[in-house]
Amino acid sequence: MKIVVCAKFVPDATADRRFRSEDNTVDRAGVDGLLSELDEYAVETALTVKEAGDAEVTVLTVGPEQAADAVKKGLQMGADAGVHVLDDAIHGSDAVATSLILAKALAKLEADLVVFGMGSTDGGMGVVPAMVSERLGLPAVTLGSEVTVDGQTVRIRRDGDTASETIEGTLPLVLSVSDQANEPRYPSFKGIMAAKKKPVETWSLADLELTPDEVGGSSAWTEVVEVTARPPRSAGTIVTDEDGSGAAELVGFLSTNKFL
Amino acid sequence: MSNVLVLVDHTDNPGGTVRKTTAELLTIARRLGEPVAVFIGSDVQAALPALGQYGATKVIALSNPELSQYLVAPKAEALQQVAAKVEPSAILISSNAEGKEIAARLAVKLDSGLITDAVDVQAGDGGPVTTQSVFAGNFTVQAKVTHGTPIITVKPNAATPEVAETSPEVEEFDVTISDAAKTARITDSKPREATGRPELTEAAIIVSGGRGTGGDFGPVEAFADSLGAAVGASRAAVDSGWYPHAYQVGQTGKTVSPQLYVAAGISGAIQHRAGMQTSKTIVAINKDPEAPIFELVDFGVVGDLHKVLPTATEEVTKRKS
Ligand SMILES: Cc1cc2nc3c(=O)[nH]c(=O)nc-3n(C[C@H](O)[C@H](O)[C@H](O)COP(=O)(O)OP(=O)(O)OC[C@H]3O[C@@H](n4cnc5c(N)ncnc54)[C@H](O)[C@@H]3O)c2cc1C
Ligand SMILES: Cc1cc2nc3c(=O)[nH]c(=O)nc-3n(C[C@H](O)[C@H](O)[C@H](O)COP(=O)(O)OP(=O)(O)OC[C@H]3O[C@@H](n4cnc5c(N)ncnc54)[C@H](O)[C@@H]3O)c2cc1C
């Protein structure tokens, strides 16, 4: 079985995240980045499925030069191969365009099982898995918090807003997993060394039979017209609960602000 | 005036209780054109009064039972067919997991731009202009769709529902669902137990508990009940099995933006902040004066939640009676 994990390289949420003033797109070049944490759960799912049977795991990323680090992290965790779709024309792609590139690459890879994270930690739309499934004409089973693959059958459990559900589909299939699905492993020293020898291919748009005007800012169907940084919060009042006065002060605050 | 499609978000059981988010979507739709509600389900009559109250000019009813059996692919197909007939100038959908997935499929089918998680939508010269709160609430962006039919998923509380009585006609709509859309199916579903408290994403007040509760959510729930609030939890509390995942607030849980957010025994990790820092007023109770949550608060109590919350609950109850 061929499993492909889609993994996104994103700006580090604990460092500086910002937008480029010239085109209101995310600054990806001048900031620290990493494999979106939520995609580690996808890599872990793929590795678990592989370990239970017979499969090959490829990590696929679409992104700028540094996005190669996302592939590398996947290989260090234990994936077998990597594909990095890299092309200057991709800058500024929206979700619709990103899903087109991913779908083309996945078709070329002939994936039986495609595993996504539940959402990137930058755009955080959580829509790319469904878009890719739509483009490939494959079923999607999304937001799995428990995943089992049994022969051709994929079964997940998920806790929705109104119900806890079990969902079933048959391979080939698109899967997305939540951060409840597992505990992603840390790369071992052996894994880090082994990753250096694993094959990574870099594909351009031409390799996917796409043209620059089908992707990137030029065919993004959405446009950010304005970006405003949030004004800093003014410091609040902090009291220390000595001899039980904290509760009274809290209730006083709630009352003054008409929450009672 | 142009038609604006609103996908009605309602409970399945009982039939057609329209969620507050739908009233918000209809209110927003009126800024953009004539609201046409799309109701997928068996009991459109139950939903009708609420839809009319908030200004739906027409209700398109899709009652094919297959629409609920097979996840969201059939619902997206159905909406595509409705859109082909109605030719809307925009499509508004609630920003929950199902809504976003329907919107995603629809965007590909209609070759249209998609904006998710809007916290406001206004009419602009070239179509709707949305506001999104991004990067854990650190930035606000204004965006618009530049191609196709704007598809926008809207977060709860993005508008105050405004009443505008209409008596909408109901039009039954027959959909055809492809076999391809039926390939993944729900084999088991256990409804979440009702708590009697407000919905987390809709509540005006939320009291959340974290690892500092030590596993006892009693004081958190009691304080929430004294304020008529919803209860939330940090991931640490959820991962420990102390509270169900559906109540997690944060990056991978719910993003909430209530009038008042009370964090009890929560340190304020970036992923938790991502889900709550746009709350209007923030209060924290934490025994560690250095906890990062205190950077966000309007009012903070350095103290033991097991002492502060029960006393505060008593005091609130006394004042309210
Ligand atoms: C703050 C912000 C707001 C945005 N708002 C919008 C918007 O409203 N509309 C819009 O069209 N675009 C928007 N974008 C752009 C959008 O995020 C990107 O185009 C992105 O490539 C796709 O969306 P996502 O990152 O939200 O993916 P999600 O749908 O959240 O990603 C889900 C999963 O898809 C996979 N994945 C996503 N991208 C890649 C990739 N490049 N390579 C490999 N795997 C991937 C990962 O497994 C990921 O976990 C926004 C971007 C930012 C930073
Ligand atoms: C990919 C990813 C996604 C995540 N998504 C989320 C998410 O959606 N939501 C989320 O919440 N987290 C999320 N997290 C986890 C997040 O990083 C933190 O681990 C989590 O928020 C910590 O929860 P906590 O504040 O309850 O626990 P802790 O960080 O352990 O803090 C407990 C706090 O309670 C205080 N305390 C202890 N005893 C008492 C007492 N008796 N009275 C008062 N205070 C007391 C302590 O001083 C401490 O500040 C995510 C992490 C990752 C990696």
Side-chain angles (χ1 to χ4, degrees):
Chain A
M1 171 165 50
K2 185 141 195 191
I3 307 176
V4 181
V5 181
C6 294
K8 190 179 182 187
F9 186 75
V10 298
D12 187 348
T14 60
D16 186 23
R17 291 191 291 187
R18 53 177 184 254
F19 291 85
R20 306 194 331 166
S21 53
E22 61 270 38
D23 61 0
N24 286 337
T25 61
V26 177
D27 189 345
R28 296 182 187 277
V31 300
D32 292 339
L34 75 178
L35 167 66
S36 173
E37 274 173 313
L38 296 172
D39 292 341
E40 289 184 17
Y41 299 89
V43 176
E44 182 62 39
T45 300
L47 296 175
T48 313
V49 173
K50 175 185 155 165
E51 283 158 6
D54 182 26
E56 191 196 40
V57 177
T58 302
V59 175
L60 167 65
T61 200
V62 174
E65 208 84 54
Q66 316 89 287
D69 285 355
V71 173
K72 193 159 100 190
K73 175 83 186 269
L75 297 178
Q76 290 176 342
M77 287 174 72
D80 304 296
V83 171
H84 179 187
V85 183
L86 171 68
D87 199 306
D88 286 345
I90 292 171
H91 174 83
S93 291
D94 63 358
V96 175
T98 302
S99 72
L100 175 66
I101 304 168
L102 284 170
K104 286 278 188 183
L106 289 164
K108 193 170 151 114
L109 285 165
E110 297 177 341
D112 301 302
L113 178 63
V114 185
V115 192
F116 284 92
M118 66 186 287
S120 71
T121 58
D122 60 347
M125 298 176 71
V127 297
V128 170
M131 284 180 170
V132 166
S133 117
E134 181 72 35
R135 289 190 186 277
L136 295 174
L138 294 179
V141 176
T142 54
L143 297 174
S145 56
E146 240 176 70
V147 178
T148 47
V149 179
D150 184 1
Q152 294 296 104
T153 308
V154 179
R155 201 169 292 119
I156 70 149
R157 194 181 60 79
R158 73 170 170 203
D159 293 317
D161 287 346
T162 53
S164 182
E165 298 168 322
T166 308
I167 295 159
E168 238 176 65
T170 320
L171 297 178
L173 173 136
V174 169
L175 174 68
S176 82
V177 296
S178 80
D179 60 336
Q180 308 276 304
N182 51 46
E183 201 56 63
R185 68 194 69 184
Y186 288 105
S188 63
F189 178 71
K190 209 170 123 223
I192 293 171
M193 297 314 287
K196 297 187 174 152
K197 298 200 194 72
K198 291 176 179 170
V200 177
E201 290 189 36
T202 305
W203 292 349
S204 66
L205 288 174
D207 292 324
L208 298 177
E209 287 162 13
L210 284 168
T211 57
D213 58 338
E214 286 175 278
V215 300
S218 58
S219 78
W221 299 156
T222 54
E223 185 194 347
V224 174
V225 286
E226 206 178 300
V227 176
T228 324
R230 191 185 58 162
R233 264 183 182 271
S234 48
T237 310
I238 296 184
V239 302
T240 303
D241 180 43
E242 278 158 25
D243 51 52
S245 59
E249 294 192 65
L250 170 59
V251 175
F253 172 85
L254 296 180
S255 167
T256 310
N257 289 279
K258 305 200 163 46
F259 289 117
L260 298 186
Chain B
M1 273 240 273
S2 63
N3 291 313
V4 177
L5 283 188
V6 169
L7 179 60
V8 178
D9 188 14
H10 61 89
T11 57
D12 296 325
N13 202 6
T17 310
V18 171
R19 291 207 170 85
K20 180 166 159 262
T21 45
T22 303
E24 295 165 8
L25 292 186
L26 289 169
T27 301
I28 289 171
R30 290 214 308 277
R31 300 174 190 157
L32 311 173
E34 299 242 357
V36 175
V38 180
F39 183 91
I40 300 179
S42 54
D43 199 0
V44 67
Q45 290 307 325
L48 214 48
L51 299 177
Q53 186 181 5
Y54 293 102
T57 53
K58 189 187 214 180
V59 178
I60 298 179
L62 295 83
S63 56
N64 185 336
E66 290 190 320
L67 286 167
S68 328
Q69 245 165 301
Y70 297 97
L71 298 174
V72 305
K75 292 182 185 165
E77 275 187 0
L79 270 184
Q80 177 188 23
Q81 290 163 37
V82 172
K85 178 155 179 254
V86 174
E87 296 184 358
S89 62
I91 302 173
L92 305 179
I93 301 175
S94 292
S95 235
N96 49 39
E98 175 171 300
K100 287 213 260 185
E101 214 172 309
I102 294 171
R105 289 179 181 280
L106 198 58
V108 171
K109 283 177 193 294
L110 300 178
D111 193 21
S112 295
L114 166 64
I115 290 171
T116 57
D117 300 316
V119 295
D120 190 18
V121 186
Q122 296 290 342
D125 290 341
V129 178
T130 63
T131 304
Q132 290 163 288
S133 171
V134 307
F135 285 165
N138 285 325
F139 290 89
T140 301
V141 303
Q142 246 93 45
K144 60 181 189 199
V145 168
T146 54
H147 187 277
T149 311
I151 302 170
I152 301 167
T153 76
V154 182
K155 291 206 133 193
N157 297 321
T160 309
E162 287 160 21
V163 172
E165 289 287 350
T166 52
S167 35
E169 51 165 314
V170 176
E171 184 185 312
E172 290 289 337
F173 191 92
D174 264 337
V175 290
T176 34
I177 301 161
S178 71
D179 286 340
K182 298 185 205 164
T183 41
R185 57 193 188 92
I186 302 165
T187 55
D188 186 36
S189 179
K190 286 186 201 69
R192 208 170 89 196
E193 269 173 56
T195 61
R197 299 193 180 92
E199 278 286 324
L200 191 53
T201 50
E202 292 174 4
I205 303 180
I206 296 171
V207 181
S208 285
R211 206 194 308 265
T213 60
D216 179 9
F217 262 63
V220 171
E221 292 189 324
F223 188 54
D225 290 343
S226 76
L227 294 168
V231 173
S234 74
R235 180 166 162 195
V238 168
D239 281 356
S240 306
W242 300 341
Y243 225 68
H245 175 62
Y247 300 92
Q248 182 178 314
V249 171
Q251 182 193 310
T252 54
K254 298 281 176 336
T255 6
V256 297
S257 204
Q259 297 299 321
L260 171 65
Y261 187 83
V262 181
I266 293 177
S267 61
I270 176 95
Q271 296 91 350
H272 188 79
R273 292 160 70 145
M276 49 63 76
Q277 70 178 349
T278 54
S279 303
K280 307 289 176 298
T281 301
I282 298 174
V283 168
I285 300 132
N286 194 306
K287 66 179 186 189
D288 173 11
E290 305 294 327
I293 192 83
F294 284 126
E295 293 162 20
L296 294 182
V297 298
D298 297 283
F299 190 84
V301 181
V302 179
D304 185 343
L305 71 90
H306 295 105
K307 297 203 178 91
V308 177
L309 287 183
T311 316
T313 305
E314 238 171 74
E315 182 66 25
V316 170
T317 314
K318 202 159 48 179
R319 289 204 192 198
K320 279 193 166 174
S321 64

